[in-house]
Amino acid sequence: MGTADLIWMNGEFVAHEDAKVHVLTHGLHYGTGVFEGIRAYETDHGTGVFRHQEHLERLRRSAELYYMKLPYSTEELRSATHELIGRNGFKSCYIRPIAYRGHGPMGLDPLANPVEVAIAVWEWGAYLGEEGQRNGIRAKVSTWRRISPDSLIPHAKASGQYLNSVLAKIEAKHAGYEEAILLDPHGHVCEGTGENVFVIRDGAIYTPGHSNAILDGITRRSVVEIARDLGYEVVERHVARAELALADEVFLTGTAAELTPVRAIDDHEIGPPGEITRAIQATLDDALHGRDERYAHWLDLVAVPARA
Ligand code: PPE
């Protein structure tokens, strides 16, 4: 992980080691924060932030769902991110904006606590390993169920909600798998700990829809569009656990994971990445790196020149 020199915090660029919060920060005690994961890629036209606006809009919506009002406009966050990338001299990086309830009254009523905002960037390689991205990972269906919309907000990207993913991830790693896939209480497939999931059978592509407990992944949206452009049928519907094992191909999508194939589920061999997975992965990779004109509008080019 390549560390940046500077982090943007509440409107200022501060040294990495000075980007600190008080131990009584509300978000630390109660998980009252919302965040985003965004990637910027090196392209022939400079550094491009992938679907930047949509990520920042999702951040704002996540905040609203938890009654937090962001003290910065989307445009302010966007230009702060551009400057941060430029001043850190990164050509490509992962971007982590976070908004959280800061130091103020303790207790569960957060409304008097300030909403603080920070943006960090760092260099982050293949999330589930390069080998995994090329040849597929082994995943396990978690014994932990995905957080339910009865209790939390699967569509929000909120800090506290990730305790669910943390438990599933630890369980999967202890059992010798790279990733967990979570079901809802009815046994419907939802998603990975930090990725959406797709299954392919007899040439058609299936993925859980918005009435399942999923995050509305921006990579998911991109992959649905790419797959349809490539002529594949994509159906959003309930996916049963058994369909994972019976699938011809399975893959995960996310900003960090990009497109990562799954080669085995619960020790059922799916096999090396198949033809459809490879085709979508290659087109997504071109889109991310600005090599496909059709998707050029997905990249928000950083105007600030990178430091020499
Ligand atoms: N589901 C979950 C639960 C999730 O956290 C992510 C992103 C996705 C789906 C895919 O969404 P999108 O990135 O918009 O395609 N997970 C982020 C956090 C990863 C982390 O370890 O932190 C990410 O990929 O940036």
Side-chain angles (χ1 to χ4, degrees):
M1 176 172 148
T3 307
D5 296 336
L6 295 172
I7 288 178
W8 183 92
M9 239 183 142
N10 297 318
E12 294 184 32
F13 293 88
V14 300
H16 187 273
E17 56 275 20
D18 295 331
K20 293 176 181 162
V21 296
H22 195 276
V23 75
L24 293 182
T25 296
H26 198 275
L28 181 62
H29 292 250
Y30 307 116
T32 44
V34 297
F35 67 97
E36 269 304 317
I38 313 172
R39 274 190 193 267
Y41 294 88
E42 187 174 359
T43 78
D44 285 345
H45 312 286
T47 296
V49 183
F50 190 68
R51 306 195 83 164
H52 201 181
Q53 188 80 14
E54 282 148 287
H55 278 285
L56 293 176
E57 280 163 10
R58 190 172 66 187
L59 181 72
R60 186 166 305 278
R61 283 197 303 273
S62 295
E64 277 166 6
L65 287 168
Y66 279 99
Y67 304 94
M68 292 164 66
K69 192 172 162 9
L70 297 185
Y72 300 96
S73 69
T74 298
E75 189 47 41
E76 283 169 326
L77 296 176
R78 176 173 167 265
S79 63
T81 302
H82 283 201
E83 190 177 342
L84 186 67
I85 294 170
R87 287 178 65 169
N88 279 304
F90 285 150
K91 291 199 165 65
S92 64
C93 59
Y94 185 82
I95 305 162
R96 168 58 53 82
I98 182 164
Y100 53 93
R101 291 281 183 183
H103 182 199
M106 293 308 280
L108 287 166
D109 176 359
L111 296 177
N113 295 64
V115 174
E116 310 211 346
V117 184
I119 307 169
V121 293
W122 61 85
E123 288 177 312
W124 216 6
Y127 186 62
L128 297 168
E130 287 199 11
E131 155 69 20
Q133 197 159 19
R134 229 184 345 261
N135 298 320
I137 58 147
R138 294 173 60 251
K140 173 192 189 304
V141 172
S142 184
T143 65
W144 297 101
R145 297 299 164 118
R146 170 77 176 145
I147 51 164
S148 153
D150 296 333
S151 305
L152 284 165
I153 314 172
H155 275 65
K157 201 164 168 61
S159 305
Q161 299 188 168
Y162 277 83
L163 285 172
N164 180 230
S165 289
V166 165
L167 284 172
K169 187 80 177 187
I170 290 172
E171 180 189 65
K173 295 286 276 228
H174 280 173
Y177 302 83
E178 280 96 58
E179 191 50 290
I181 292 176
L182 291 91
L183 311 178
D184 71 13
H186 307 288
H188 300 133
V189 172
C190 295
E191 57 187 350
T193 62
E195 311 90 2
N196 292 109
V197 60
F198 290 77
V199 305
I200 302 173
R201 202 170 178 200
D202 298 329
I205 305 172
Y206 305 97
T207 192
H210 294 294
S211 55
N212 294 113
I214 63 164
L215 183 72
D216 179 7
I218 289 165
T219 322
R220 173 187 182 278
R221 268 185 234 163
S222 310
V223 158
V224 168
E225 195 171 328
I226 285 171
R228 288 183 177 145
D229 288 348
L230 291 173
Y232 298 113
E233 184 193 359
V234 184
V235 184
E236 297 182 38
R237 64 153 170 80
H238 289 320
V239 173
R241 176 179 184 164
E243 292 187 273
L244 294 169
L246 293 170
D248 301 321
E249 305 176 36
V250 177
F251 63 80
L252 304 174
T253 64
T255 298
E258 299 173 328
L259 191 157
T260 301
V262 177
R263 65 180 170 86
I265 298 265
D266 290 335
D267 306 312
H268 294 290
E269 200 62 23
I270 297 164
E275 188 190 324
I276 299 177
T277 299
R278 289 232 181 265
I280 297 171
Q281 189 180 39
T283 307
L284 176 67
D285 207 53
D286 284 344
L288 297 176
H289 293 89
R291 294 186 300 254
D292 192 323
E293 270 309 306
R294 284 175 294 180
Y295 310 112
H297 61 283
W298 284 347
L299 289 165
D300 175 28
L301 293 175
V302 175
V304 177
R307 200 175 52 184

